[in-house]
Amino acid sequence: DGGITQSPKYLFRKEGQNVTLSCEQNLNHDAMYWYRQDPGQGLRLIYYSQIVNDFQKGDIAEGYSVSREKKESFPLTVTSAQKNPTAFYLCASSNWGQGTYEQYFGPGTRLTVT
Amino acid sequence: ELKVEQNPLFLSMQEGKNYTIYCNYSTTSDRLYWYRQDPGKSLESLFVLLSNGAVKQEGRLMASLDTKARLSTLHITAAVHDLSATYFCAVGQTGANNLFFGTGTRLTVIP
């Protein structure tokens, strides 16, 4: 089955620890994205990548880092510099340069930092 | 920066009634998307609108796009409880992959 997987579904960490969220897709999409969603809010873009080994900051990149070493994978690290990391994190992917650019979303990771 | 406004933010409606959710955006765009989100879940794609005057329908939902007015609507016909969810519109920036999301409309359909 084609799709996007994120792991883990729930993640609990102590303040001051870095944590890495996994995102994998087998849709052969070039572009991948990370969004953050806070309760009752819309989605805000953290980082996106249009091609392997390249990525751009979104609206709220401070305190986050990413890598794109493989087309299928786009992990997100939430660093201790992120002041309020507790949120629901969604990964998405899309075609780039052709088609509808429709973004397909993974199931999400709910991160709680105490 | 492209700004997207949805209204209403909250909508409580009785089963069988009709209603419309509005999505306004601030700058030129060549594509608009509607998504549904159930509580605690991810986003599910509903409609992709790529041209002025585009209209798409699926079941009790119909979406339209007016690029000149920078407005999209999501019309709900004869609502049923299963439609209860949060609905987001997202607007694509011309020449880029980025999507800008509205704050969502939380729809509750009351039996």
Side-chain angles (χ1 to χ4, degrees), chain B residues 32-104:
Chain B
L32 188 140
Y33 310 83
W34 284 96
Y35 289 90
R36 169 183 171 141
Q37 186 179 37
D38 291 299
K41 303 291 187 182
S42 186
L43 272 69
E44 172 192 352
S45 178
L46 294 175
F47 300 108
V48 178
L49 303 169
L50 300 176
S51 60
N52 186 41
V55 177
K56 292 199 174 177
Q57 183 163 3
E58 181 71 35
R60 301 174 187 274
L61 300 177
M62 182 173 71
S64 66
L65 177 61
D66 182 343
T67 58
K68 294 178 182 176
R70 297 177 187 163
L71 170 68
S72 179
T73 62
L74 180 66
H75 187 72
I76 303 152
T77 301
V80 293
H81 180 69
D82 285 352
L83 291 179
S84 295
T86 299
Y87 293 85
F88 290 96
C89 66
V91 182
Q93 196 166 25
T94 301
N97 270 24
N98 304 27
L99 288 186
F100 293 84
F101 282 79
T103 50

Side-chain angles (χ1 to χ4, degrees), chain A residues 38-50:
Chain A
D38 292 288
Q41 304 291 318
L43 277 66
R44 291 184 290 169
L45 182 65
I46 304 172
Y47 269 98
Y48 66 100
S49 168
Q50 295 174 332

Side-chain angles (χ1 to χ4, degrees), chain B residues 3-47:
Chain B
K3 296 205 181 298
V4 182
E5 289 186 358
Q6 277 182 247
N7 67 83
L9 298 183
F10 299 94
L11 177 56
S12 182
M13 56 191 297
Q14 286 188 313
E15 277 191 333
K17 298 292 186 183
N18 304 335
Y19 209 84
T20 300
I21 298 170
Y22 297 89
C23 174
N24 292 274
Y25 53 98
S26 60
T27 62
T28 302
S29 170
D30 53 6
R31 58 195 193 282
L32 188 140
Y33 310 83
W34 284 96
Y35 289 90
R36 169 183 171 141
Q37 186 179 37
D38 291 299
K41 303 291 187 182
S42 186
L43 272 69
E44 172 192 352
S45 178
L46 294 175
F47 300 108

